[in-house]
Amino acid sequence: MRMLAATVLSLCLVAPASAQGVKTNAEGTKPMPMLEDIRAVAPALEKYAQGAVQGDLWKRPGLSPRDRSIVTISALIARDQRVELPYYLDLALHNGVKPAEVSEIITHLAFYTGWANAMGAVPIAREVFKARSIGPDQLPPASGSMLPLDEASEAQRATRVEQQFGKVTPSLVQYTTDVLFRDLWLRPELAPRDRSLVTVSALVATGQVAQITYHLNRAMDNGLTQEQAGETVGHLAFYAGWPNAFSAAPVFKDVFEKRPR
């Protein structure tokens, strides 16, 4: 494990796999705590980091390391938590997340967690890309061919939203159809299943429980299994806090029980 790994024993900065070395204090972020810093402040935190998180969570088989990386960077960006982001972006690339997919995750989260959160991740990701010699040729184009649209399903969604909110906020309804579901969700560089995993992770991480039912069903329609969905909540308890995980758990339970067997 390279030098960077010595910095990763805080509660968030722990994972079983090594990653390539990158700057630990990308522009605009504070340096990540070293092991001695954690021990000097919270010895119990170090114990939980090494035991529950590094020793168990990241090794559980219900989610692959790649999926856990997607869930983690989605939560960090959604919560605008930049101290850990350089390490976890680098780890995501080490775990098989492609540079184009990282680019799409950041873009996607601009819509689901706010423009400022995505912009905050940009300079950090740029430093990680630079350290790995990742250039424009490995990133998705701004425009190009799109995935096929399920016209019938999208028409039902658009009609339902129009009936509910068309007179309240026509701009929201229009952008939801034109920009999100007929553009963003059809970009091919991030698979629909992974795009759904990003969305659900961000919703749980930010406590947006009212939106989980639709997007969790969509995620499972896109190929996310019940086991993977359940592991996502358990993983996010460490990265977004137990209250957010337990607020989401009843919604997940309800979705699981109502889906056809």
Side-chain angles (χ1 to χ4, degrees), residues 4 54 64 74 81 98 154 204 207 247:
L4 177 62
Q54 184 177 18
S64 68
S74 297
Q81 295 177 335
K98 298 175 183 178
E154 169 56 17
V204 175
S247 293

Side-chain angles (χ1 to χ4, degrees), residues 1-246:
M1 188 172 287
R2 303 188 181 187
M3 185 178 298
L4 177 62
T7 70
V8 299
L9 290 173
S10 70
L11 181 59
C12 288
L13 287 179
V14 285
S18 62
Q20 294 189 9
V22 297
K23 293 180 180 179
T24 59
N25 57 340
E27 184 179 356
T29 68
K30 297 179 181 178
M32 294 183 287
M34 300 294 287
L35 175 59
E36 56 267 28
D37 299 324
I38 302 167
R39 188 181 300 121
V41 173
L45 179 60
E46 178 196 347
K47 180 193 75 169
Y48 292 128
Q50 294 189 75
V53 182
Q54 184 177 18
D56 185 69
L57 179 70
W58 277 83
K59 297 178 180 179
R60 289 177 60 88
L63 277 178
S64 68
R66 177 184 177 277
D67 283 348
R68 290 190 186 276
S69 285
I70 289 175
V71 171
T72 304
I73 63 175
S74 297
L76 294 177
I77 295 171
R79 293 166 61 83
D80 197 26
Q81 295 177 335
R82 305 181 193 183
V83 172
E84 292 85 6
L85 193 54
Y87 172 77
Y88 276 112
L89 283 171
D90 194 63
L91 181 63
L93 294 165
H94 175 82
N95 283 340
V97 182
K98 298 175 183 178
E101 292 171 329
V102 171
S103 176
E104 287 294 313
I105 288 170
I106 293 172
T107 301
H108 189 86
L109 288 172
F111 292 88
Y112 282 90
T113 69
W115 228 249
N117 286 0
M119 292 300 178
V122 165
I124 299 171
R126 186 182 183 203
E127 291 297 320
V128 174
F129 286 177
K130 186 184 300 183
R132 283 178 166 262
S133 299
I134 294 170
D137 60 311
Q138 298 183 60
L139 303 181
S143 302
S145 61
M146 307 293 264
L147 296 174
L149 176 67
D150 184 338
E151 293 284 357
S153 177
E154 169 56 17
Q156 290 179 354
R157 185 211 60 79
T159 298
R160 183 171 61 253
V161 173
E162 172 65 32
Q163 290 173 344
Q164 289 179 310
F165 306 115
K167 294 182 179 179
V168 178
T169 173
S171 61
L172 177 61
V173 172
Q174 178 186 342
Y175 288 133
T176 299
T177 295
D178 296 346
V179 181
L180 261 67
F181 288 102
R182 289 185 173 270
D183 194 329
L184 180 72
W185 275 89
L186 302 181
R187 291 180 58 82
E189 289 81 11
L190 190 63
R193 181 261 190 196
D194 294 340
R195 201 174 284 278
S196 284
L197 181 60
V198 170
T199 308
V200 170
S201 298
L203 294 175
V204 175
T206 54
Q208 300 292 334
V209 294
Q211 299 295 313
I212 291 175
T213 297
Y214 172 79
H215 281 289
L216 179 56
N217 272 298
R218 187 182 181 95
M220 297 179 77
D221 289 343
N222 284 337
L224 189 73
T225 69
Q226 180 172 319
E227 180 185 17
Q228 291 166 342
E231 279 293 317
T232 296
V233 179
H235 190 91
L236 286 168
F238 287 91
Y239 290 91
W242 250 249
N244 282 330
F246 265 103

